[in-house]
Amino acid sequence: MTWLITGGAGYIGAHVVRAMTDAGERVVVLDDLSAGVPARLPEGVPLVRGSALDGELLTKVLAEHGATGVLHLAARKQPGESVAQPTRYYRENLGGLATLLDAVAEAGVKRFVFSSSAAVYGDPHVDLITEDTPCAPVNPYGETKLAGEWLVRAAGRAHGIDTVCLRYFNVAGAAVPELADTGVFNIVPMVFDRLTRDEAPRIFGDDYPTPDGTCIRDYIHVADLAEAHLAAVRALAEGGVDGDLTLNVGRGEGVSVRELITVIGEVTGDTRTPVVEARRPGDPPRAVASAALASERLGWTARRSVREMVESAWQGWQLLQGAPRA
């Protein structure tokens, strides 16, 4: 089997490629390199530069590489940016997905994994979010992910494609320093960036109804997330998915923003007191996954700790900054 991985040169995508190739799976990567880095890919992995919006290119790639399955990770993914640029998010995230699914159906590909997000849930008022928790996204990014799931399932029913939608929670860490997150959009690199510029970390709101007043999130190591993709691929290949399957991918443990910043301080040695600023619109007080269904259906469980996430991310950050690794 050969798997087409869209967005495979990105932060998460490169970890998925690495997990797949280490397990002996054959892959080909499609990436427009807007956020992807070719050097992240293992030697010998074919890279096609292009967009999921290019139907002709998709048809050509699927045929030339004999792809029998697709993992679709390519998407714009910044909630704040999606509020400012909603049409871009709908055009690229949903338009690209629709174009890809047309090409997949035409090529007779019968296995499809979709990169979704916990953003589909919005602001759920529950201790643990299960896959049955009502979805009510609060920004266009989350809307495109939820509508994307609908589209994937509908195309699967129409064309006999077995599908898996993976709802990521908060991703951090690096399997190796060279694959670290190069963006400054997620909380761990955001704090690293502040410390590197000799500024205190920021906390957006400390008056939430949580034990320490800061938001609680479910953080998952990117290497665990990559292994979840591999487990989904194996389930599809072995006939373990009949129709569609939607799963949360998280650790099932909540960590507050203040607790996370404390761990970052311990790892980096910079323990300055965070600056508290106003809440950001749309931040739910608590968002923690139930990962029981992923364990049941895929035999997958997250194995790495929050400290491992921070330590590995810090090694990657130092490498990217040109400093010696701690």
Side-chain angles (χ1 to χ4, degrees), residues 26-83:
R26 290 184 299 180
V27 305
V28 55
V29 169
L30 177 80
D31 200 302
D32 67 5
L33 302 184
S34 58
V37 180
R40 285 174 168 153
L41 298 178
E43 185 176 352
V45 171
L47 169 62
V48 179
R49 183 169 184 173
S51 167
L53 288 161
D54 188 340
E56 290 186 9
L57 178 62
L58 292 171
T59 297
K60 179 181 178 182
V61 171
L62 290 168
E64 288 187 352
H65 293 273
T68 49
V70 172
L71 293 89
H72 182 46
L73 283 76
R76 302 205 67 81
K77 61 177 186 176
Q78 301 306 324
E81 182 184 63
S82 78
V83 173

Side-chain angles (χ1 to χ4, degrees), residues 91 113-114 134 153 226 229 242 280 294 299 307 313 324:
R91 179 173 60 253
V113 178
F114 177 59
R153 296 186 198 111
H229 286 76
D242 183 15
R280 294 182 301 188
R307 189 175 189 92

Side-chain angles (χ1 to χ4, degrees), residues 13 74 77 82 88 92 117 126 135 137 149 165 190 200 265 304 308:
K77 61 177 186 176
S82 78
R88 183 182 189 185
E92 296 191 21
S117 168
V126 293
C135 293
E149 290 186 7
C165 296
M190 285 175 67
R304 297 162 179 87
E308 288 176 277

Side-chain angles (χ1 to χ4, degrees), residues 122-142:
D123 184 5
H125 297 281
V126 293
D127 286 339
L128 283 180
I129 299 170
T130 72
E131 290 79 0
D132 293 327
T133 298
C135 293
V138 296
N139 52 58
Y141 166 66

Side-chain angles (χ1 to χ4, degrees), residues 27 44 55 71 95-96 104 112 128 144 159 212 217 234 241 263 287 301 326:
V27 305
L71 293 89
V104 163
F112 194 94
L128 283 180
T144 63
H159 303 293
D212 67 13
R217 296 290 181 266
R234 293 283 169 83
V241 178
V263 174
T301 303

Side-chain angles (χ1 to χ4, degrees), residues 15-25 27 42 175-176 230 234:
H15 280 88
V16 174
V17 170
R18 181 73 62 98
M20 295 274 285
T21 55
D22 284 352
E25 300 288 345
V27 305
V176 294
L230 177 61
R234 293 283 169 83

